[in-house]
Amino acid sequence: MYSDEITQNILLNDALYVNESVDLSQLDGLDVTITGATGLVGFNLLCALNYYNRSLAKKPIRIHALSHRRPDGIIESIFNASRINSLVGDLSDNNFIASLPKSDAIIHSAGYGQPGLFLEDKLKTISINTTATIGLSKNLRKGGRFLFLSSSEVYSGCGSDENKETDIGTTNPTHPRSCYIESKRTGEAIINALREKGYRASSARLALAYGPGVKPGDQRVLNQFIEKGICGQIDLLDSGQALRTYGYIADVVSMLLHILIRGKEPVYNVGGRSVTSIKDLAKKIGREMNVAVLVPNSSSGMKGAPNFVGLNLSKIEDEFLITKYIDLHQGLINTIEWIKNYE
C-alpha cells in the first residue's frame, strides 16, 4: 500500500468514527468557518465535515477553511479533492478578518498548541485568542454558533488532579506562559459576551489532543518521540515523571462537534481518558516502533509546564452520553503510521 493510501485510510476511518458518534444534520446547507484549518484539530474537523458532505448530507455544508499558510503535502491533496473554500491569511490582520465570508457557525481553532511556538511570539498569541475572536464574531450571522478552543492551561496553579469547569486557575500575568493562559481566559470572556447577545457560543477547554494530522517537526512531546523513533532512538530531556491525559483526535473532534451543534453550557472540558507519564509514553512508543528509549535522571522540564494535566469530563459525557474512547495503544499506532508516511 502506498503512503498516501495509508494516511488517507487512517483519516477516512477517523472521519467515519466521528460521523457515527455525532449527528451533523443540523449543519446541512450552512456556512461553517474553521480557523487553524491545517492544524491538528482544524484539519480533522474538516475531514469529518467533508466525509459528511460526501456520504450523508442532504444539502452539503459550505466549508470555509482558514489557515496562516497554504496547505501542503498530504493536507494539500485532501483540500484539493474536497469541497473546501481555502482562505489563506493572518488572523492578526483586521482587514483579512473583515474580508471573510459570513458564516452560520465558526470554530476558532487557530493558535499555537505547541508551547515552543506560542511562546515565540507572545503578542501574536494574545491577538489570535482575543482581537481575532472579536473580529471573527462580527462575521457571524444572527443567532449563529461560535466555538472557541480554549485550553486546560486556564487551570494552571489550581492544584486539582481532575479539574472541573467551575475550578479557577491561580497563575498571574507574570507566569512564563501567561500570554497563552491569560489570552485563553479573555477569549472565554468574549464568548460569554456573545452569549449575552444571543449567539450560541461556547468554549472548549482542550487538553493534549494527539493523532493523525500533525505535520513534520511538531514540537509536542508525543510527536517528537515518534520522530526520534523513526531516527532509531528515543531520548528524553528529563526523567519523564510528569503525568499527562491524552485525547485521541477523533474523540476530541466528536466532542467539539457535539458542543457546536447542541451545547447549552458556556464552557466544557474536552480531552481523553488515557493517563500516562511522559516516561511511560516514550516506552509505549519505543515498544511499538522497536527502538531503544533513554531516560536520564534529570528532573528538569520546560519552564512553567504543569506536573499533571487532567480534566473532569463528567459534564460533556453526561450531556452527550459519551461512553467510549479510542484507547492510547490504537491511537499511537495510527499516529505513528501517519508520521511515518507523511509526504
Side-chain angles (χ1 to χ4, degrees):
M1 185 179 288
Y2 295 108
S3 61
D4 61 338
E5 291 179 283
I6 294 171
T7 51
Q8 290 194 37
N9 280 340
I10 293 171
L11 293 174
L12 181 64
N13 288 334
D14 283 352
L16 173 60
Y17 175 87
V18 173
N19 277 268
E20 289 176 341
S21 304
V22 188
D23 178 6
L24 301 180
S25 60
Q26 287 193 34
L27 300 180
D28 275 10
L30 299 185
D31 286 279
V32 177
T33 294
I34 299 175
T35 71
T38 60
L40 173 63
V41 175
F43 178 60
N44 278 274
L45 282 163
L46 288 173
C47 289
L49 297 183
N50 188 54
Y51 179 94
Y52 178 76
N53 275 349
R54 292 187 170 202
S55 305
L56 300 168
K58 292 181 179 178
K59 191 174 182 181
I61 301 165
R62 292 181 294 275
I63 304 170
H64 308 289
L66 275 60
S67 57
H68 188 237
R69 296 183 180 84
R70 294 193 178 279
D72 57 14
I74 299 165
I75 296 175
E76 180 184 22
S77 66
I78 291 172
F79 269 53
N80 290 340
S82 308
R83 295 178 179 178
I84 294 174
N85 177 27
S86 181
L87 300 165
V88 180
D90 188 344
L91 285 176
S92 63
D93 180 350
N94 292 331
N95 291 327
F96 171 67
I97 293 179
S99 72
L100 297 174
K102 294 292 183 181
S103 296
D104 302 289
I106 296 173
I107 305 176
H108 186 18
S109 67
Y112 304 119
Q114 307 172 49
L117 291 181
F118 69 61
L119 294 173
E120 276 183 12
D121 191 337
K122 294 182 178 182
L123 292 179
K124 193 159 194 174
T125 294
I126 293 169
S127 176
I128 289 172
N129 289 320
T130 58
T131 54
T133 305
I134 295 172
L136 287 165
S137 71
K138 294 177 181 179
N139 294 320
L140 198 59
R141 294 192 177 109
K142 186 176 180 180
R145 300 173 170 91
F146 196 112
L147 178 58
F148 172 70
L149 258 70
S150 185
S151 169
S152 62
E153 296 226 15
V154 300
Y155 297 120
S156 293
C158 186
S160 172
D161 286 345
E162 197 177 73
N163 292 296
K164 297 180 180 179
E165 288 85 351
T166 52
D167 290 336
I168 301 171
T170 61
T171 56
N172 62 47
T174 62
H175 189 277
R177 296 153 82 107
S178 65
C179 65
Y180 189 70
I181 297 168
E182 301 304 328
S183 64
K184 287 297 187 184
R185 286 177 176 154
T186 304
E188 291 189 18
I190 294 166
I191 291 301
N192 288 327
L194 291 176
R195 290 174 65 86
E196 292 175 3
K197 289 180 175 291
Y199 293 102
R200 299 176 61 178
S202 295
S203 300
R205 292 175 180 166
L206 177 60
L208 298 174
Y210 77 100
V214 294
K215 294 187 281 294
D218 189 287
Q219 296 178 18
R220 282 167 283 202
V221 169
L222 187 150
N223 305 310
Q224 284 292 296
F225 286 165
I226 295 173
E227 291 197 358
K228 288 180 178 181
I230 292 171
C231 295
Q233 178 176 285
I234 300 173
D235 58 295
L236 278 68
L237 299 178
D238 61 22
S239 59
Q241 298 303 309
L243 292 173
R244 298 290 182 265
T245 307
Y246 286 96
Y248 185 66
I249 189 61
D251 287 318
V252 167
V253 166
S254 297
M255 289 179 173
L256 294 176
L257 290 171
H258 272 306
I259 297 167
L260 177 73
I261 296 168
R262 297 175 184 83
K264 298 176 182 178
E265 299 293 327
V267 63
Y268 294 86
N269 285 339
V270 171
R273 289 288 190 185
S274 298
V275 180
T276 184
S277 68
I278 300 297
K279 179 179 71 174
D280 287 343
L281 176 68
K283 289 182 175 179
K284 290 176 190 294
I285 294 171
R287 283 194 297 271
E288 192 61 42
M289 301 184 74
N290 195 29
V291 298
V293 177
L294 301 182
V295 184
N297 292 323
S298 169
S299 60
S300 63
M302 180 173 283
K303 190 176 182 181
N307 290 322
F308 181 79
V309 176
L311 295 176
N312 185 301
L313 300 177
S314 297
K315 179 189 286 189
I316 195 166
E317 288 177 340
D318 292 346
E319 185 169 334
F320 303 115
L321 305 178
I322 296 169
T323 59
K324 66 175 183 176
Y325 292 88
I326 293 172
D327 64 56
L328 184 61
H329 177 70
Q330 184 59 54
L332 289 176
I333 290 173
N334 292 352
T335 310
I336 290 167
E337 286 302 306
W338 169 271
I339 292 176
K340 284 169 60 178
N341 291 281
Y342 189 97
E343 291 182 350

